[in-house]
Amino acid sequence: MLIILTIVIVLAILLINEYWWRIRTVHSELSRKFVHITVGCFVASWPFFLSWQQIQLLSIGFLLVVGLSKYLRLFQAIHSVQRPTWGELFFAASVGAITLITDDKWIYATALLQMALADGLAAIIGVRYGNRRRYQVTGQPKSVVGTLTFFVVSLGILAVYSHWSGTVLALGFMVLLSASASAIENLAVKGLDNLLVPLLIAIILVNH
């Protein structure tokens, strides 16, 4: 029953966002990031009420749905970005891939939130306030304020993990890890950061 409810909630978010985008009341990048943040935060909570096997099955299912949607343009809002990207597929893959690295609920949530919140908020703030100071990395436009947002939010997520998980992280360690995640977010091409950043966070926290 829980897995069905989970699917319904994700589908509802996609449909609401698609309607929102079609009536043109929101910037296309903000529309994509609305899904990125809401679905990503929801996914981060899955280990607290779903089994690891159920999460793996959902990840496979979402990979198929996102791939089909990208091919058939079913959910145009999440595919409306002008630059070539496979970010949605990489994010769906990371949902299941992290379960192969850890069975710790807090590490899983922390790894997913790095992209759901840090990347999502960085894009929104970068679009809104980052027009003056922009730069390019591997041909991709970036903003100073967006990158700083990613770093600060990433650091905040790690601080919350350190407080609630019982695994105390040194400030210097958290700063270095957040800086590394920010660098990957800048350098990764075609949305690959949606997979690499969560895997980096999960692997390092598991081995810390």
Side-chain angles (χ1 to χ4, degrees):
M1 182 62 184
L2 280 176
I3 196 169
I4 295 175
L5 180 60
T6 298
I7 294 170
V8 169
I9 291 174
V10 172
L11 183 60
I13 293 172
L14 291 174
L15 291 173
I16 291 170
N17 184 66
E18 186 70 14
Y19 173 76
W20 193 21
W21 179 81
R22 285 180 183 273
I23 61 176
R24 296 293 192 273
T25 59
V26 65
H27 187 286
S28 60
E29 184 68 13
L30 297 183
S31 175
R32 290 180 65 251
K33 291 307 176 181
F34 168 78
V35 170
H36 193 80
I37 292 173
T38 53
V39 173
C41 289
F42 182 46
V43 171
S45 72
W46 284 359
F48 295 92
F49 60 89
L50 294 176
S51 70
W52 296 112
Q53 291 75 21
Q54 288 175 321
I55 294 173
Q56 290 163 0
L57 287 174
L58 284 170
S59 176
I60 294 171
F62 286 149
L63 268 171
L64 295 174
V65 170
V66 171
L68 186 63
S69 173
K70 191 174 183 67
Y71 180 73
L72 298 177
R73 306 294 292 181
L74 298 177
F75 293 104
Q76 295 184 39
I78 63 173
H79 304 303
S80 60
V81 64
Q82 298 301 311
R83 63 186 181 278
T85 178
W86 296 91
E88 300 89 357
L89 284 168
F90 287 131
F91 189 80
S94 72
V95 170
I98 299 173
T99 66
L100 305 177
I101 297 172
T102 182
D103 58 359
D104 186 299
K105 298 176 182 179
W106 289 104
I107 290 178
Y108 183 93
T110 301
L112 259 296
L113 287 174
Q114 291 288 327
M115 292 312 298
L117 283 181
D119 181 66
L121 292 175
I124 290 174
I125 293 176
V127 167
R128 180 64 179 85
Y129 301 105
N131 290 327
R132 291 186 178 180
R133 294 187 177 181
R134 287 191 171 275
Y135 59 97
Q136 285 201 350
V137 180
T138 62
Q140 302 176 100
K142 299 289 182 179
S143 68
V144 173
V145 68
T147 299
L148 287 175
T149 299
F150 186 102
F151 173 79
V152 170
V153 176
S154 171
L155 186 61
I157 293 168
L158 290 173
V160 171
Y161 165 80
S162 179
H163 177 76
W164 286 103
S165 70
T167 303
V168 179
L169 304 179
L171 178 60
F173 174 84
M174 292 190 292
V175 169
L176 181 59
L177 187 51
S178 293
S180 299
S182 300
I184 292 176
E185 192 276 333
N186 265 255
L187 295 171
V189 296
K190 296 185 178 180
L192 189 56
D193 54 317
N194 283 349
L195 177 62
L196 295 182
V197 170
L199 291 183
L200 168 75
I201 298 297
I203 290 171
I204 290 180
L205 291 181
V206 164
N207 292 284
H208 180 264

